[in-house]
Amino acid sequence: MTVASITVSETPLVLYALRRADDALILGHRLSEWCGHAPMLEEDMALANMGLDLLGQARELYAYAAKVEGKDNTEDTFAYLRDVRQYRNLLLVEQQNGDFARTMVRQFFYSAFADLYWRTMMTSRDATLAAIAAKSEKESAYHLRHSSEWMVRLGDGTEESHRRAQIAIDDLWAFTGEMFSVDDSERGLVDAGIAVDPETLRPQWLKIVSGVLAEATLARPANDWMQKGGRIGHHTEHLGHLLSELQSMQRSFPGATW
Amino acid sequence: MATPNTPLWEVFIRSRNGLAHKHVGSLHAADATLALQAARDIYTRRGEGLSIWVVPSSAITASDPAEKGMMFEPAETKIYRHPTFYDVPEEVGHM
């Protein structure tokens, strides 16, 4: 027996909060998959810590989405009872962990963006979003530092670590453009001073990424073709598998607590 | 599991109301920067610290446990070195 998915009234602000919450939940879940499997105990803890930071961000954003929507949905129903097509996260964050280099490249691309994004969002006219941004920025700043240090060590490390890091960069690069896209729903929030136009952050993001990659002796891909679709629920095949694990308990035993 | 190439580091944390850095444990890391980050991730998850030191374990010179008789036993009979033979006035407070 399974429980049906919820319906969500995706007004611009609800959709906005869900998109950021989904980014954090899915990336946090990916990091949690490393728990007990990381190359060393120290990194096992570091990955789990980052995952928990992201889970905390997701919870606050889901709770806010639920409040704005004003219906029966809660942070739990948003996380556990939406189907894959209802998820609004970036394609980047749902990509599989792969090897350690791939996980770190994914983290680096996202954290470099998230840190800029949250820092700018601290001046949002929406007091709740500004407060969430202020808390999240401190966390993403550390995620960026940690993943940057690893980029340099992997890229400028051994021949094998360099090769693996470069493959991950080349594979994931096409998913980075989606971070900077804005649709009509979000454009209204940007104009109202509630949301940030991520396109304005792209030069800074490129500067940060280029700087770290250069220090890491890694090449920035020349290819500018970008994949997108996550923000409207068109996901890669990986998200469904992730959700089946994340949601299996609540789908099988609705409302179960322990 | 530690790899042979990854050095060991000793971690010292100064807590919120502590006056000095205290040894809290050790960890493996490739270099000082990563050791500091690992120390943050492993030893300050519950708000334990405001400052972290990491020191290469190899930089520590330790006394030899086999010499503990020579090193420490002579002090055990010098009870007069403990400040217990006079009363500390209440007003002095914590010393």
Side-chain angles (χ1 to χ4, degrees):
Chain A
M1 192 196 97
T2 60
V3 62
S5 296
I6 57 170
T7 56
V8 182
S9 308
E10 289 185 334
T11 59
L13 190 53
V14 170
L15 179 58
Y16 176 84
L18 284 178
R19 283 170 169 171
R20 271 75 211 171
D22 290 347
D23 288 347
L25 178 70
I26 299 304
L27 186 56
H29 185 82
R30 278 290 186 223
L31 292 173
S32 80
E33 292 173 356
W34 274 104
C35 199
H37 300 278
M40 58 203 291
L41 179 148
E42 288 78 358
E43 202 51 38
D44 208 284
M45 301 279 286
L47 292 166
N49 280 354
M50 289 195 287
L52 286 169
D53 285 343
L54 290 164
L55 185 62
Q57 294 172 14
R59 289 192 59 180
E60 291 183 351
L61 288 159
Y62 283 138
Y64 186 53
K67 190 177 156 211
V68 173
E69 192 191 20
K71 299 195 174 164
D72 292 336
N73 289 324
T74 65
E75 52 181 290
D76 279 351
T77 63
F78 282 136
Y80 293 127
L81 300 179
R82 277 181 307 149
D83 204 358
V84 60
R85 293 294 291 265
Q86 295 175 289
Y87 262 79
R88 302 291 180 237
N89 57 279
L90 299 165
L91 299 177
L92 175 68
V93 299
E94 72 197 37
Q95 298 309 302
Q96 292 174 302
N97 285 338
D99 56 20
F100 182 70
R102 182 171 294 252
T103 291
M104 272 303 141
V105 169
R106 186 185 62 199
Q107 194 66 41
F108 172 62
F109 284 162
Y110 178 77
S111 300
F113 172 77
D115 191 43
L116 290 170
Y117 190 83
W118 291 127
R119 202 181 312 150
T120 316
M121 274 298 288
M122 285 161 66
T123 58
S124 167
R125 283 198 190 146
D126 183 309
T128 305
L129 291 176
I132 292 172
K135 176 172 174 284
S136 304
E137 192 277 328
K138 290 192 190 75
E139 294 167 341
S140 58
Y142 186 78
H143 301 176
L144 174 60
R145 175 187 292 190
H146 189 71
S147 54
S148 298
E149 296 289 353
W150 270 115
M151 293 303 296
V152 172
R153 282 158 183 78
L154 292 169
D156 198 16
T158 65
E159 205 174 299
E160 184 182 4
S161 68
H162 179 94
R163 181 179 59 80
R164 287 173 182 257
Q166 189 64 58
I167 290 171
I169 289 167
D170 295 344
D171 286 353
L172 293 173
W173 186 253
F175 296 113
T176 58
E178 195 179 23
M179 296 190 289
F180 305 101
S181 67
V182 170
D183 61 6
D184 291 342
S185 165
E186 212 161 300
R187 180 62 62 193
L189 297 176
V190 170
D191 293 340
I194 292 169
V196 171
D197 183 354
E199 184 57 41
T200 61
L201 307 174
R202 194 199 290 260
Q204 287 167 275
W205 182 84
L206 271 175
K207 197 173 158 211
I208 293 167
V209 168
S210 302
V212 172
L213 292 188
E215 193 186 344
T217 72
L218 293 161
R220 199 180 102 192
N223 181 9
D224 275 341
W225 182 84
M226 292 293 163
Q227 181 65 271
K228 60 180 186 179
R231 291 294 192 220
I232 55 168
H234 295 172
H235 292 281
T236 59
E237 67 270 32
H238 308 303
L239 184 62
H241 295 283
L242 182 155
L243 290 179
S244 69
E245 184 179 320
L246 190 153
Q247 299 183 338
S248 65
M249 186 66 86
Q250 287 299 324
R251 293 279 190 180
S252 305
F253 304 97
T257 57
W258 62 88
Chain B
M1 194 177 68
T3 54
N5 294 328
T6 314
L8 191 64
W9 301 76
E10 300 301 323
V11 181
F12 300 82
I13 306 277
R14 184 165 64 75
S15 65
R16 216 160 280 280
N17 41 21
L19 299 174
H21 288 71
K22 267 180 78 176
H23 185 240
V24 293
S26 55
L27 54 82
H28 287 91
D31 54 52
T33 305
L34 290 184
L36 203 56
Q37 293 190 5
R40 179 260 194 196
D41 285 327
I42 294 171
Y43 292 110
T44 68
R45 301 170 76 230
R46 299 175 184 85
E48 292 93 335
L50 288 181
S51 171
I52 304 172
W53 290 350
V54 288
V55 178
S57 303
S58 60
I60 291 177
T61 309
S63 61
D64 183 351
E67 294 179 342
K68 71 173 193 292
M70 176 192 77
M71 293 284 279
F72 306 117
E73 271 178 34
E76 285 175 12
T77 54
K78 274 68 166 186
I79 192 169
Y80 48 83
R81 287 179 182 162
H82 293 272
T84 55
F85 296 96
Y86 51 86
D87 297 322
V88 180
E90 285 280 325
E91 305 84 70
V92 173
H94 177 70
M95 280 180 74

mmCIF file of all heavy atoms in Angstrom, chain A residues 185-215:
data_model
loop_
_atom_site.group_PDB
_atom_site.id
_atom_site.type_symbol
_atom_site.label_atom_id
_atom_site.label_comp_id
_atom_site.label_asym_id
_atom_site.label_seq_id
_atom_site.Cartn_x
_atom_site.Cartn_y
_atom_site.Cartn_z
ATOM 1 N N SER A 185 7.686 33.254 -13.460
ATOM 2 C CA SER A 185 7.197 33.160 -12.088
ATOM 3 C C SER A 185 8.157 33.854 -11.134
ATOM 4 O O SER A 185 7.743 34.582 -10.224
ATOM 5 C CB SER A 185 7.036 31.683 -11.718
ATOM 6 O OG SER A 185 6.911 31.539 -10.324
ATOM 7 N N GLU A 186 9.447 33.654 -11.359
ATOM 8 C CA GLU A 186 10.451 34.209 -10.451
ATOM 9 C C GLU A 186 10.781 35.666 -10.788
ATOM 10 O O GLU A 186 11.215 36.422 -9.918
ATOM 11 C CB GLU A 186 11.707 33.340 -10.523
ATOM 12 C CG GLU A 186 12.459 33.272 -9.210
ATOM 13 C CD GLU A 186 13.409 32.087 -9.168
ATOM 14 O OE1 GLU A 186 12.930 30.940 -9.291
ATOM 15 O OE2 GLU A 186 14.610 32.308 -9.030
ATOM 16 N N ARG A 187 10.594 36.017 -12.035
ATOM 17 C CA ARG A 187 10.915 37.382 -12.467
ATOM 18 C C ARG A 187 10.132 38.407 -11.658
ATOM 19 O O ARG A 187 10.665 39.453 -11.265
ATOM 20 C CB ARG A 187 10.612 37.536 -13.980
ATOM 21 C CG ARG A 187 10.897 38.894 -14.564
ATOM 22 C CD ARG A 187 12.349 39.307 -14.486
ATOM 23 N NE ARG A 187 13.240 38.411 -15.228
ATOM 24 C CZ ARG A 187 14.570 38.417 -15.111
ATOM 25 N NH1 ARG A 187 15.148 39.272 -14.273
ATOM 26 N NH2 ARG A 187 15.317 37.582 -15.805
ATOM 27 N N GLY A 188 8.867 38.088 -11.379
ATOM 28 C CA GLY A 188 8.034 39.003 -10.589
ATOM 29 C C GLY A 188 8.610 39.216 -9.194
ATOM 30 O O GLY A 188 8.596 40.331 -8.660
ATOM 31 N N LEU A 189 9.127 38.149 -8.600
ATOM 32 C CA LEU A 189 9.715 38.244 -7.252
ATOM 33 C C LEU A 189 11.013 39.047 -7.278
ATOM 34 O O LEU A 189 11.324 39.786 -6.354
ATOM 35 C CB LEU A 189 9.978 36.847 -6.687
ATOM 36 C CG LEU A 189 8.759 35.946 -6.467
ATOM 37 C CD1 LEU A 189 9.197 34.564 -6.005
ATOM 38 C CD2 LEU A 189 7.806 36.563 -5.455
ATOM 39 N N VAL A 190 11.751 38.875 -8.369
ATOM 40 C CA VAL A 190 12.996 39.642 -8.514
ATOM 41 C C VAL A 190 12.656 41.128 -8.598
ATOM 42 O O VAL A 190 13.249 41.963 -7.906
ATOM 43 C CB VAL A 190 13.775 39.194 -9.766
ATOM 44 C CG1 VAL A 190 14.937 40.147 -10.046
ATOM 45 C CG2 VAL A 190 14.271 37.758 -9.604
ATOM 46 N N ASP A 191 11.660 41.445 -9.428
ATOM 47 C CA ASP A 191 11.275 42.847 -9.609
ATOM 48 C C ASP A 191 10.762 43.464 -8.306
ATOM 49 O O ASP A 191 10.904 44.669 -8.082
ATOM 50 C CB ASP A 191 10.208 42.972 -10.712
ATOM 51 C CG ASP A 191 10.779 42.601 -12.086
ATOM 52 O OD1 ASP A 191 12.019 42.626 -12.221
ATOM 53 O OD2 ASP A 191 9.989 42.288 -12.992
ATOM 54 N N ALA A 192 10.156 42.614 -7.463
ATOM 55 C CA ALA A 192 9.603 43.113 -6.199
ATOM 56 C C ALA A 192 10.652 43.182 -5.094
ATOM 57 O O ALA A 192 10.347 43.555 -3.959
ATOM 58 C CB ALA A 192 8.440 42.218 -5.770
ATOM 59 N N GLY A 193 11.892 42.798 -5.406
ATOM 60 C CA GLY A 193 12.937 42.862 -4.387
ATOM 61 C C GLY A 193 12.906 41.720 -3.397
ATOM 62 O O GLY A 193 13.582 41.755 -2.364
ATOM 63 N N ILE A 194 12.099 40.683 -3.699
ATOM 64 C CA ILE A 194 12.003 39.528 -2.792
ATOM 65 C C ILE A 194 13.067 38.499 -3.139
ATOM 66 O O ILE A 194 13.685 37.909 -2.255
ATOM 67 C CB ILE A 194 10.587 38.911 -2.881
ATOM 68 C CG1 ILE A 194 9.572 39.893 -2.294
ATOM 69 C CG2 ILE A 194 10.522 37.554 -2.186
ATOM 70 C CD1 ILE A 194 8.133 39.531 -2.558
ATOM 71 N N ALA A 195 13.284 38.294 -4.435
ATOM 72 C CA ALA A 195 14.279 37.315 -4.876
ATOM 73 C C ALA A 195 15.438 38.036 -5.577
ATOM 74 O O ALA A 195 15.336 39.207 -5.933
ATOM 75 C CB ALA A 195 13.655 36.297 -5.826
ATOM 76 N N VAL A 196 16.512 37.293 -5.743
ATOM 77 C CA VAL A 196 17.703 37.815 -6.414
ATOM 78 C C VAL A 196 17.704 37.323 -7.853
ATOM 79 O O VAL A 196 17.302 36.192 -8.116
ATOM 80 C CB VAL A 196 18.966 37.288 -5.712
ATOM 81 C CG1 VAL A 196 20.211 37.635 -6.502
ATOM 82 C CG2 VAL A 196 19.046 37.821 -4.307
ATOM 83 N N ASP A 197 18.135 38.176 -8.765
ATOM 84 C CA ASP A 197 18.328 37.699 -10.132
ATOM 85 C C ASP A 197 19.685 36.996 -10.204
ATOM 86 O O ASP A 197 20.729 37.642 -10.135
ATOM 87 C CB ASP A 197 18.304 38.889 -11.105
ATOM 88 C CG ASP A 197 18.438 38.423 -12.557
ATOM 89 O OD1 ASP A 197 18.660 37.204 -12.766
ATOM 90 O OD2 ASP A 197 18.315 39.274 -13.457
ATOM 91 N N PRO A 198 19.671 35.654 -10.319
ATOM 92 C CA PRO A 198 20.942 34.923 -10.250
ATOM 93 C C PRO A 198 21.883 35.250 -11.409
ATOM 94 O O PRO A 198 23.095 35.079 -11.284
ATOM 95 C CB PRO A 198 20.516 33.451 -10.273
ATOM 96 C CG PRO A 198 19.146 33.446 -10.832
ATOM 97 C CD PRO A 198 18.521 34.753 -10.505
ATOM 98 N N GLU A 199 21.303 35.736 -12.506
ATOM 99 C CA GLU A 199 22.147 36.078 -13.649
ATOM 100 C C GLU A 199 23.195 37.128 -13.262
ATOM 101 O O GLU A 199 24.309 37.128 -13.781
ATOM 102 C CB GLU A 199 21.272 36.588 -14.805
ATOM 103 C CG GLU A 199 22.007 36.891 -16.087
ATOM 104 C CD GLU A 199 22.784 35.685 -16.638
ATOM 105 O OE1 GLU A 199 22.247 34.562 -16.593
ATOM 106 O OE2 GLU A 199 23.931 35.873 -17.095
ATOM 107 N N THR A 200 22.837 37.997 -12.327
ATOM 108 C CA THR A 200 23.780 39.036 -11.902
ATOM 109 C C THR A 200 24.964 38.446 -11.131
ATOM 110 O O THR A 200 25.968 39.116 -10.936
ATOM 111 C CB THR A 200 23.088 40.081 -10.995
ATOM 112 O OG1 THR A 200 22.602 39.406 -9.815
ATOM 113 C CG2 THR A 200 21.919 40.740 -11.704
ATOM 114 N N LEU A 201 24.828 37.205 -10.675
ATOM 115 C CA LEU A 201 25.901 36.578 -9.895
ATOM 116 C C LEU A 201 26.864 35.789 -10.774
ATOM 117 O O LEU A 201 27.907 35.337 -10.315
ATOM 118 C CB LEU A 201 25.305 35.631 -8.839
ATOM 119 C CG LEU A 201 24.253 36.235 -7.909
ATOM 120 C CD1 LEU A 201 23.655 35.164 -7.012
ATOM 121 C CD2 LEU A 201 24.866 37.350 -7.073
ATOM 122 N N ARG A 202 26.495 35.613 -12.044
ATOM 123 C CA ARG A 202 27.284 34.725 -12.910
ATOM 124 C C ARG A 202 28.749 35.166 -13.063
ATOM 125 O O ARG A 202 29.651 34.339 -12.963
ATOM 126 C CB ARG A 202 26.630 34.570 -14.286
ATOM 127 C CG ARG A 202 27.218 33.421 -15.085
ATOM 128 C CD ARG A 202 26.932 33.542 -16.571
ATOM 129 N NE ARG A 202 25.543 33.338 -16.905
ATOM 130 C CZ ARG A 202 25.042 32.186 -17.386
ATOM 131 N NH1 ARG A 202 25.823 31.148 -17.540
ATOM 132 N NH2 ARG A 202 23.782 32.086 -17.710
ATOM 133 N N PRO A 203 29.011 36.485 -13.275
ATOM 134 C CA PRO A 203 30.428 36.876 -13.412
ATOM 135 C C PRO A 203 31.252 36.535 -12.172
ATOM 136 O O PRO A 203 32.382 36.069 -12.280
ATOM 137 C CB PRO A 203 30.348 38.402 -13.618
ATOM 138 C CG PRO A 203 28.971 38.654 -14.131
ATOM 139 C CD PRO A 203 28.103 37.631 -13.477
ATOM 140 N N GLN A 204 30.675 36.774 -10.987
ATOM 141 C CA GLN A 204 31.417 36.463 -9.756
ATOM 142 C C GLN A 204 31.629 34.957 -9.612
ATOM 143 O O GLN A 204 32.680 34.499 -9.181
ATOM 144 C CB GLN A 204 30.645 36.960 -8.528
ATOM 145 C CG GLN A 204 30.665 38.455 -8.353
ATOM 146 C CD GLN A 204 29.635 38.870 -7.312
ATOM 147 O OE1 GLN A 204 28.471 39.053 -7.628
ATOM 148 N NE2 GLN A 204 30.061 38.984 -6.064
ATOM 149 N N TRP A 205 30.592 34.198 -9.964
ATOM 150 C CA TRP A 205 30.695 32.741 -9.882
ATOM 151 C C TRP A 205 31.804 32.244 -10.805
ATOM 152 O O TRP A 205 32.649 31.435 -10.398
ATOM 153 C CB TRP A 205 29.352 32.104 -10.252
ATOM 154 C CG TRP A 205 29.336 30.603 -10.156
ATOM 155 C CD1 TRP A 205 29.117 29.857 -9.032
ATOM 156 C CD2 TRP A 205 29.550 29.666 -11.226
ATOM 157 N NE1 TRP A 205 29.178 28.516 -9.342
ATOM 158 C CE2 TRP A 205 29.441 28.365 -10.673
ATOM 159 C CE3 TRP A 205 29.808 29.788 -12.589
ATOM 160 C CZ2 TRP A 205 29.589 27.203 -11.434
ATOM 161 C CZ3 TRP A 205 29.955 28.640 -13.343
ATOM 162 C CH2 TRP A 205 29.858 27.362 -12.774
ATOM 163 N N LEU A 206 31.814 32.759 -12.024
ATOM 164 C CA LEU A 206 32.840 32.344 -12.985
ATOM 165 C C LEU A 206 34.236 32.697 -12.492
ATOM 166 O O LEU A 206 35.188 31.936 -12.669
ATOM 167 C CB LEU A 206 32.593 33.018 -14.343
ATOM 168 C CG LEU A 206 31.673 32.266 -15.308
ATOM 169 C CD1 LEU A 206 31.418 33.102 -16.545
ATOM 170 C CD2 LEU A 206 32.254 30.905 -15.685
ATOM 171 N N LYS A 207 34.329 33.846 -11.835
ATOM 172 C CA LYS A 207 35.619 34.285 -11.323
ATOM 173 C C LYS A 207 36.112 33.338 -10.223
ATOM 174 O O LYS A 207 37.279 32.933 -10.213
ATOM 175 C CB LYS A 207 35.479 35.716 -10.783
ATOM 176 C CG LYS A 207 36.799 36.420 -10.616
ATOM 177 C CD LYS A 207 36.582 37.887 -10.237
ATOM 178 C CE LYS A 207 37.853 38.398 -9.570
ATOM 179 N NZ LYS A 207 37.593 39.417 -8.569
ATOM 180 N N ILE A 208 35.213 33.002 -9.310
ATOM 181 C CA ILE A 208 35.581 32.086 -8.218
ATOM 182 C C ILE A 208 35.979 30.720 -8.781
ATOM 183 O O ILE A 208 37.030 30.156 -8.446
ATOM 184 C CB ILE A 208 34.404 31.919 -7.228
ATOM 185 C CG1 ILE A 208 34.132 33.228 -6.494
ATOM 186 C CG2 ILE A 208 34.673 30.784 -6.232
ATOM 187 C CD1 ILE A 208 32.824 33.253 -5.739
ATOM 188 N N VAL A 209 35.120 30.203 -9.661
ATOM 189 C CA VAL A 209 35.370 28.875 -10.218
ATOM 190 C C VAL A 209 36.666 28.864 -11.034
ATOM 191 O O VAL A 209 37.496 27.964 -10.886
ATOM 192 C CB VAL A 209 34.167 28.424 -11.079
ATOM 193 C CG1 VAL A 209 34.502 27.188 -11.901
ATOM 194 C CG2 VAL A 209 32.964 28.149 -10.185
ATOM 195 N N SER A 210 36.847 29.878 -11.857
ATOM 196 C CA SER A 210 38.056 29.926 -12.688
ATOM 197 C C SER A 210 39.306 30.010 -11.829
ATOM 198 O O SER A 210 40.322 29.373 -12.125
ATOM 199 C CB SER A 210 38.013 31.135 -13.630
ATOM 200 O OG SER A 210 36.870 31.064 -14.440
ATOM 201 N N GLY A 211 39.232 30.797 -10.759
ATOM 202 C CA GLY A 211 40.385 30.957 -9.886
ATOM 203 C C GLY A 211 40.794 29.647 -9.231
ATOM 204 O O GLY A 211 41.978 29.287 -9.221
ATOM 205 N N VAL A 212 39.806 28.930 -8.706
ATOM 206 C CA VAL A 212 40.108 27.661 -8.025
ATOM 207 C C VAL A 212 40.590 26.621 -9.040
ATOM 208 O O VAL A 212 41.556 25.900 -8.787
ATOM 209 C CB VAL A 212 38.874 27.149 -7.245
ATOM 210 C CG1 VAL A 212 39.121 25.742 -6.711
ATOM 211 C CG2 VAL A 212 38.548 28.100 -6.104
ATOM 212 N N LEU A 213 39.919 26.555 -10.191
ATOM 213 C CA LEU A 213 40.332 25.572 -11.200
ATOM 214 C C LEU A 213 41.755 25.842 -11.677
ATOM 215 O O LEU A 213 42.547 24.919 -11.882
ATOM 216 C CB LEU A 213 39.368 25.566 -12.392
ATOM 217 C CG LEU A 213 37.954 25.043 -12.125
ATOM 218 C CD1 LEU A 213 37.174 24.905 -13.432
ATOM 219 C CD2 LEU A 213 37.966 23.715 -11.395
ATOM 220 N N ALA A 214 42.087 27.131 -11.824
ATOM 221 C CA ALA A 214 43.445 27.470 -12.262
ATOM 222 C C ALA A 214 44.468 27.005 -11.221
ATOM 223 O O ALA A 214 45.484 26.402 -11.556
ATOM 224 C CB ALA A 214 43.563 28.974 -12.497
ATOM 225 N N GLU A 215 44.172 27.279 -9.951
ATOM 226 C CA GLU A 215 45.085 26.852 -8.891
ATOM 227 C C GLU A 215 45.183 25.329 -8.854
ATOM 228 O O GLU A 215 46.235 24.770 -8.512
ATOM 229 C CB GLU A 215 44.598 27.388 -7.540
ATOM 230 C CG GLU A 215 45.643 27.270 -6.444
ATOM 231 C CD GLU A 215 45.105 27.681 -5.074
ATOM 232 O OE1 GLU A 215 44.035 28.329 -5.011
ATOM 233 O OE2 GLU A 215 45.762 27.346 -4.076
#
